């Protein structure tokens, strides 16, 4: 335990104690210890029914085969449904009370930050728990719809719903990245947790925090990423073990 606590530098402890504006960007790695599979890392990449995840999760697939896209996201929701937040989610939920101005930005669609009590999470890639009408964009909580109805039908306009998630080849939800970028420019301390930092524009946020805002940027990840060199500090370890030490 002592050895682990040593992973946090004195400089980081001081900055953490004094910071008022803090931004955290999370990726699939923050949910890994809950049992959610990551897309990359550990030497492999996610595949479902023989299809790489970036094919099944693509705008092209949505056009070709909406029921198959529902099957993929239903499968993922089924996995997440049985899982619980881990100590990393819990630590980040506590930080919202600790800092005057705290922003949690996630690329995850699993809802585990919210399950741990986090509020106002900026979900850059949408949510597994919502459907959205392909025509009028009305959003629905999938827990309130009949899960046998696939694809579900919009109660307002009668068109199909699709999963309310960002697919490869699609834009981010309107305003989400802009808000996150504004907070990144303003923060003093930025954490990048459990992301391979290869998907844009999310991966730009730590760069914005560092270059535009002069923030101190800390990465927490068992592996190095393309962002590691930009970071002021990289802590090689698991989010659920490192975050509670702070
Ligand atoms: P990735 O799967 O690309 O990366 C997961 C990262 O988490 C890797 O760098 C791992 O080393 C790290 N990791 C694994 N276990 C960890 C742990 N216990 N603690 C901390 N880090 C750990 O996931 P993302 O970067 O989130 O987008 O992927 C970005 C986007 O690519 C996803 O949001 C998704 C995907 O395509 C869309 O679906 C639009």
């Amino acid at each position: 335990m002592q050895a682990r606590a040593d992973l946090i530098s004195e400089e980081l402890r001081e900055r953490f104690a004094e910071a008022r504006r803090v931004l955290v960007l999370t990726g699939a790695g923050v949910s890994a210890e809950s049992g959610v599979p990551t897309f990359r890392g550990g030497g492999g990449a996610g595949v479902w029914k023989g299809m790489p995840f970036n094919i099944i999760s693509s705008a092209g697939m949505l056009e070709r085969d909406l029921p198959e896209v529902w099957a993929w996201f239903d499968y993922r929701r089924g996995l997440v449904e049985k899982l619980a937040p881990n100590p990393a989610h819990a630590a980040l939920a506590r930080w919202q009370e600790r800092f005057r101005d705290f922003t949690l930005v996630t690329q995850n669609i699993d809802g585990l930050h919210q399950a741990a009590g986090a509020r106002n999470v900026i979900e850059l890639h949408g949510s597994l728990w919502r459907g959205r009408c392909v025509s009028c964009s009305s959003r629905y909580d999938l827990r309130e719809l009949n899960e046998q109805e696939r694809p579900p039908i919009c109660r307002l306009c009668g068109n199909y719903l699709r999963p309310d998630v960002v697919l490869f080849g699609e834009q981010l939800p309107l305003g989400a990245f802009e808000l996150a970028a504004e907070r990144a420019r303003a923060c003093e301390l930025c954490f990048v947790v459990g992301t391979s930092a290869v998907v844009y524009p999310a991966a730009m946020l730590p760069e914005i925090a560092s270059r535009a805002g002069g923030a101190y940027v800390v990465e927490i990840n068992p592996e190095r990423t393309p962002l590691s060199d930009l970071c002021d500090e990289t802590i090689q370890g698991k989010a659920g073990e490192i975050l509670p030490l702070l």
Side-chain angles (χ1 to χ4, degrees), residues 1-7 13 241-242 244-245:
M1 195 63 199
Q2 181 58 39
R4 277 214 202 117
D6 289 347
L7 289 170
R13 284 195 188 284
E241 294 175 3
I242 304 294
L245 298 174

Side-chain angles (χ1 to χ4, degrees), residues 145-192:
L145 299 185
N146 173 4
E147 54 185 63
Q148 305 308 321
E149 187 190 25
R150 286 293 179 266
I153 303 291
C154 177
R155 305 289 181 262
L156 292 178
C157 75
N159 238 305
Y160 285 131
L161 303 189
R162 53 164 288 173
D164 190 20
V165 297
V166 176
L167 303 173
F168 280 91
E170 293 186 326
Q171 301 288 322
L172 266 51
L174 206 64
F177 179 76
E178 291 72 10
L179 177 61
E182 187 187 312
R183 301 283 174 80
R185 271 191 292 275
C187 76
E188 303 155 79
L189 186 54
C190 171
F191 289 87
V192 193

Side-chain angles (χ1 to χ4, degrees), residues 26-34 37-42 44 53-54 57 72-73 76 86 88 106-109 124-126 165-170 172 192-200 202 219-225 235 237-242:
T26 65
V30 85
S31 296
E33 289 154 84
S34 292
T38 59
F39 302 95
R40 312 173 185 83
F53 70 88
N54 55 338
S57 285
W72 158 237
F73 285 100
R76 289 175 65 187
N86 67 55
T106 190
Q107 300 167 83
N108 299 345
I109 59 175
L124 291 178
H125 293 166
V165 297
V166 176
L167 303 173
F168 280 91
E170 293 186 326
L172 266 51
V192 193
V193 187
T195 175
S196 58
V198 293
V199 173
Y200 281 80
E219 177 174 66
I220 300 173
N221 196 314
E223 298 181 12
R224 286 187 67 78
T225 75
I235 306 179
K238 293 183 175 179
E241 294 175 3
I242 304 294

Side-chain angles (χ1 to χ4, degrees), residues 129-132 138-142 145 154-156 161:
W129 300 98
R130 283 193 311 267
R132 183 175 90 231
S138 296
R139 289 186 162 80
Y140 294 83
D141 184 335
L142 293 176
L145 299 185
C154 177
R155 305 289 181 262
L156 292 178
L161 303 189

Side-chain angles (χ1 to χ4, degrees), residues 201-215:
M204 276 166 66
L205 292 170
E207 207 168 322
I208 293 173
S210 173
R211 301 239 158 89

